[in-house]
Amino acid sequence: GQNIDQPTEMTATEGAIVQINCTYQTSGFNGLFWYQQHAGEAPTFLSYNVLDGLEEKGRFSSFLSRSKGYSYLLLKELQMKDSASYLCAVRDYGGATNKLIFGTGTLLAVQP
Amino acid sequence: EAGVVQSPRYKIIEKKQPVAFWCNPISGHNTLYWYLQNLGQGPELLIRYENEEAVDDSQLPKDRFSAERLKGVDSTLKIQPAELGDSAVYLCASSLAGAYTGELFFGEGSRLTVL
């Protein structure tokens, strides 16, 4: 079966650091993505991990452990504009190209 | 460079009526996807095209939903007849095969309300 779990909601304070966890069980694995989605807008790409370890991109970092089926997204120096839903998605083997399976998303609220 | 374009942005119809959504992917992207997103949920794949071929339509309710991608560029998703439970956002996305990450680029979506 295929299952992607992430917390439904999180709250954090402006300027702080927050970690959003994602665990997955899929029949195959060919990469993990994090997307950001503001209310009423399209999901936008944040990060991609295919090998174990940490990928850093500015204030955002993403970690992957394939043996544990686990990833996290780390957001530093939180800003009010970071309030959004964060979607974890796994690319499953399903042919030569992408088949992304999304989690339900984590709604992050950044408070002053 | 233009992104993925979808229309209409909003559509309100009564149940049993037909509705169609249109998508123009990023130029050169050969893979096109239609996703359905309910409020508070992640996107769920309906159908995936490689050029003009539907390579994964296992989640498409074929009794009422249909899709086409003529000439391997623009795509249309149709619902006939619509039911109350079809109220959702329909997202179109495209990607470039062979790219390192192969991330999906999403359109802003078409929000459907069925009354």
Side-chain angles (χ1 to χ4, degrees):
Chain A
Q2 298 169 326
N3 192 45
I4 300 175
D5 288 320
Q6 50 183 132
T8 303
E9 297 180 349
M10 297 184 71
T11 302
T13 304
E14 190 175 17
I17 299 173
V18 70
Q19 177 175 313
I20 303 174
N21 296 323
C22 171
T23 58
Y24 64 89
Q25 290 179 311
T26 55
S27 54
F29 179 84
N30 194 22
L32 186 143
F33 295 77
W34 285 95
Y35 279 79
Q36 179 190 60
Q37 186 176 28
H38 286 100
E41 298 183 8
T44 54
F45 170 75
L46 286 179
S47 69
Y48 170 73
N49 295 73
V50 67
L51 300 176
D52 291 351
L54 187 69
E55 294 284 341
E56 297 184 84
K57 188 186 297 184
R59 295 190 297 115
F60 292 42
S61 303
S62 56
F63 172 83
L64 174 67
S65 170
R66 289 172 295 170
S67 62
K68 296 181 180 179
Y70 168 70
S71 173
Y72 67 73
L73 179 69
L74 193 70
L75 291 75
K76 305 176 185 177
E77 301 171 11
L78 280 172
Q79 302 175 9
M80 299 298 290
K81 68 178 183 179
D82 297 328
S83 294
S85 181
Y86 291 85
L87 299 162
C88 174
V90 173
R91 182 161 60 196
D92 198 351
Y93 281 121
T97 56
N98 303 296
K99 180 177 181 178
L100 274 190
I101 303 166
F102 284 85
T104 57
T106 298
L107 186 61
L108 174 67
V110 179
Q111 298 178 339
Chain B
E1 180 181 329
V4 176
V5 179
Q6 292 187 245
S7 68
R9 286 293 314 278
Y10 304 93
K11 189 73 175 179
I12 301 174
I13 61 172
E14 294 188 345
K15 62 181 181 181
K16 300 185 181 180
Q17 294 300 306
V19 64
F21 305 113
W22 174 82
C23 173
N24 180 243
I26 291 174
S27 178
H29 282 194
N30 57 324
T31 309
L32 183 146
Y33 314 74
W34 283 101
Y35 279 87
L36 176 153
Q37 187 174 28
N38 287 303
L39 187 64
Q41 300 295 313
E44 300 172 34
L45 181 68
L46 289 173
I47 189 167
R48 173 166 61 105
Y49 283 93
E50 296 294 336
N51 300 306
E52 65 274 10
E53 182 183 1
V55 297
D56 185 353
D57 62 355
S58 57
Q59 303 301 312
L60 189 72
K62 298 181 183 64
D63 57 335
R64 298 183 300 107
F65 286 65
S66 65
E68 61 182 10
R69 192 185 184 196
L70 300 177
K71 301 180 181 180
V73 181
D74 294 0
S75 178
T76 302
L77 177 69
K78 297 178 181 178
I79 308 174
Q80 182 172 10
E83 298 180 350
L84 295 177
D86 296 333
S87 295
V89 176
Y90 292 84
L91 292 166
C92 180
S94 68
S95 66
L96 182 63
Y100 171 64
T101 64
E103 78 261 30
L104 274 61
F105 294 83
F106 285 87
E108 293 188 305
S110 294
R111 182 178 296 276
L112 174 66
T113 301
V114 182
L115 304 176

